[in-house]
Amino acid sequence: MHTSTTASAPRARRGRVLSIWTPEDKEFWDREGQAIAKLNLWISVPALFLAFAIWQVWSVVAVGLPALGFAYSTNQLFWLAAAPALSGATLRIFYSFIVPVFGGRRWTAISTASLLIPAIGIGYAVQDNTTPYTTMLVLALLCGLGGGNFSSSMANISFFFPKERKGSALGVNAGLGNLGVSVVQFLSPLVVTAGVFGVFGGDPQTITKGGQAVQTWTQNAAFIWVPWIALTSLAAWFGMNDIADARASFATQAAIFKRKHNWLMCVLYLGTFGSFIGYAAGFPLLIKSQFPGVNPLSYAWLGPLVGAAVRPFGGWLADKLGGARVTFWNFVVMALAVLGVLHFLPQGGAGGSFTGFFLMFLVLFLTTGIGNGSTFRMIPVIFLNQAMRGVDAKNPDAVARATKEGNTEGAATLGFTAAMAAYGGFFIPKSYGTSISLTGTPDAALYTFVAFYLICIAITWWNYSRKNAPMPC
């Protein structure tokens, strides 16, 4: 490993490609690695924020389509709202492996620029209520481009930081990126009330609200993101770096499919991020169905805000206390919080407490954020430790090979587990709907979630957090 600090020591940066990258070497890290890593992180954060905003913008736009004169059935509207979650989760599978093939800088710039397609497309489509349903469905599916970006972004950032800082770095990247979910839900109803883009934004639509004709610029919910996407794409292209040693073929990365811990962490991350994105998508509908007198749009954005804001803390806490320990107790609290939600729900259409229900959901969102940070700290540590087992610490070449293997597989697993977890964005709202249609209440869905969290507790304890666990982390 490179440790020299003399003036003749080779430098990491050559143009935009880092020919030397050894963040586990403290002297290298202090000399130049930390500054480069932080620059890449702080460009990655707004790129991921915009990705989440575009991924979730359709959930806001779809709600207002009937008022604009789009003659879509309830089922059609449901599929429009669900399509981004399905396409985003599926794209994440491919995006999981793409950074080592194309390079993190190139792919961040290209994938961020791709968000212009749904943003501009939706902005024009909603101005004409004769737009065919198939066009709208395609645009909804294209919003999944934003969902896919999470896997490549997290895989890329994981390469830049040493083991003891991966949790914090990944927590910042994902946590501030996840804020896009809350901000798009909060900001969209505001920007559609005025023609902020003037003649460039198109004409307003007229809707009836409270018995009065009101002008609205629905296209602004999509157009507002366009200039920021363009600027961030340029910042990524000219400001970020590719790591030469991070290059790997798909075949090399595909080794994770033979690793037990890849599949175990898929389950655990489904329990944390799958819960976050699923609860965020289903929260407004659940409030509306169980507490009809409450305006869900006044409260829905607060849950994702809490979950996103606390994610960096979850990564930091996992760095300090250990990812497995934090994850174990986090799942315990999640199971108890769901039981709390059940306690405060109306029974037989009567009773219930919205205040108690809302507070329990805030606890749930809080724990999804902490768990997101702690599980994503576990993954790179697990694969790096696994690769280093049996390696002679005095052999620098063997250590370098093992480190590269561990980082490559860890990054691929970060992306793949994120892909599997994203299906929670479809599964949780659909579970509510199925439970309500079959039983009249969402109770069956919520009890299923409790059972799943108990499984996550058992997996975490047995494999990672108990004394003499096979893979402590």
Side-chain angles (χ1 to χ4, degrees):
M1 295 177 65
H2 173 66
T3 58
S4 174
T5 59
T6 65
S8 61
R11 309 296 291 181
R13 190 194 298 272
R14 290 182 184 175
R16 305 314 320 170
V17 178
L18 303 175
S19 55
I20 297 171
W21 193 251
T22 54
E24 302 296 340
D25 178 348
K26 190 175 186 308
E27 293 182 22
F28 170 85
W29 177 255
D30 291 340
R31 186 180 70 248
E32 58 182 312
Q34 183 172 212
I36 295 172
K38 286 184 175 180
L39 175 62
N40 280 268
L41 173 62
W42 290 116
I43 296 176
S44 177
V45 164
L48 190 54
F49 175 95
L50 291 166
F52 270 96
I54 294 300
W55 194 23
Q56 294 297 308
V57 72
W58 195 253
S59 66
V60 179
V61 172
V63 172
L65 291 180
L68 296 175
F70 288 86
Y72 299 154
S73 69
T74 300
N75 189 51
Q76 286 177 316
L77 289 172
F78 168 78
W79 278 107
L80 287 178
L86 291 175
S87 60
T90 304
L91 283 172
R92 283 186 176 195
I93 297 174
F94 302 99
Y95 281 34
S96 302
F97 308 101
I98 211 161
V99 166
V101 176
F102 285 94
R105 174 188 68 90
R106 290 185 182 90
W107 187 250
T108 301
I110 292 168
S111 62
T112 301
S114 75
L115 304 177
L116 291 170
I117 301 170
I120 295 173
I122 291 170
Y124 280 105
V126 297
Q127 295 182 58
D128 181 3
N129 60 17
T130 64
T131 301
Y133 177 75
T134 51
T135 300
M136 291 299 209
L137 185 60
V138 168
L139 287 169
L141 289 168
L142 286 171
C143 285
L145 290 167
N149 284 7
F150 181 81
S151 286
S152 54
S153 178
M154 296 298 277
N156 181 47
I157 291 302
S158 73
F159 283 111
F160 280 94
F161 288 84
K163 181 170 67 173
E164 69 272 10
R165 300 198 183 196
K166 286 184 186 291
S168 299
L170 292 172
V172 168
N173 192 48
L176 298 183
N178 288 169
L179 280 174
V181 177
S182 180
V183 171
V184 78
Q185 292 180 346
F186 175 78
L187 188 62
S188 295
L190 300 179
V191 298
V192 301
T193 61
V196 293
F197 292 105
V199 295
F200 300 103
D203 297 327
Q205 305 92 45
T206 301
I207 62 173
T208 302
K209 192 172 183 180
Q212 294 183 334
V214 177
Q215 285 191 327
T216 182
W217 287 260
T218 306
Q219 63 267 30
N220 288 357
F223 282 160
I224 194 68
W225 305 109
V226 169
W228 304 109
I229 292 170
L231 288 172
T232 305
S233 301
L234 292 172
W237 184 264
F238 291 106
M240 294 183 74
N241 299 97
D242 296 314
I243 299 176
D245 285 346
R247 292 298 179 89
S249 66
F250 172 77
T252 300
Q253 299 176 78
I256 67 168
F257 297 121
K258 301 176 183 178
R259 307 291 190 233
K260 175 182 72 173
H261 296 292
N262 172 59
W263 301 106
L264 292 177
M265 292 309 300
C266 279
V267 176
L268 299 187
Y269 197 57
L270 177 61
T272 57
F273 181 80
S275 295
F276 170 79
I277 200 67
Y279 289 144
F283 199 27
L285 293 174
L286 189 62
I287 293 173
K288 187 175 182 179
S289 67
Q290 299 304 300
F291 299 94
V294 176
N295 178 10
L297 295 181
S298 298
Y299 298 93
W301 60 276
L302 287 167
L305 175 64
V306 169
V310 81
R311 181 167 183 158
F313 173 74
W316 174 85
L317 193 65
D319 280 340
K320 298 297 182 183
L321 303 179
R325 181 188 298 178
V326 174
T327 300
F328 173 84
W329 288 108
N330 194 73
F331 277 125
V332 171
V333 178
M334 289 182 78
L336 293 174
V338 177
L339 292 174
V341 169
L342 281 159
H343 175 74
F344 289 112
L345 280 174
Q347 299 299 319
S353 167
F354 176 74
T355 299
F357 164 89
F358 182 67
L359 290 175
M360 286 297 100
F361 251 105
L362 286 185
V363 172
L364 263 180
F365 276 108
L366 182 78
T367 52
T368 63
I370 292 174
N372 284 341
S374 64
T375 49
F376 256 36
R377 192 269 184 183
M378 291 170 65
I379 291 170
V381 173
I382 287 169
F383 282 87
L384 193 55
N385 288 345
Q386 185 171 259
M388 294 296 291
R389 283 185 172 178
V391 174
D392 183 2
K394 297 180 181 180
N395 184 336
D397 291 335
V399 169
R401 285 194 300 270
T403 300
K404 180 178 180 180
E405 176 188 326
N407 284 336
T408 299
E409 292 189 8
T413 302
L414 285 171
F416 186 73
T417 54
M420 296 297 100
Y423 285 107
F426 175 80
F427 175 75
I428 287 180
K430 189 67 174 69
S431 296
Y432 290 151
T434 301
S435 178
I436 291 171
S437 66
L438 293 177
T439 68
T441 73
D443 293 19
L446 291 165
Y447 278 118
T448 301
F449 303 157
V450 172
F452 181 73
Y453 295 147
L454 293 177
I455 292 172
C456 292
I457 290 169
I459 289 174
T460 306
W461 180 80
W462 181 258
N463 292 282
Y464 307 115
S465 69
R466 69 183 171 92
K467 185 179 181 180
N468 299 322
M471 184 59 72
C473 57

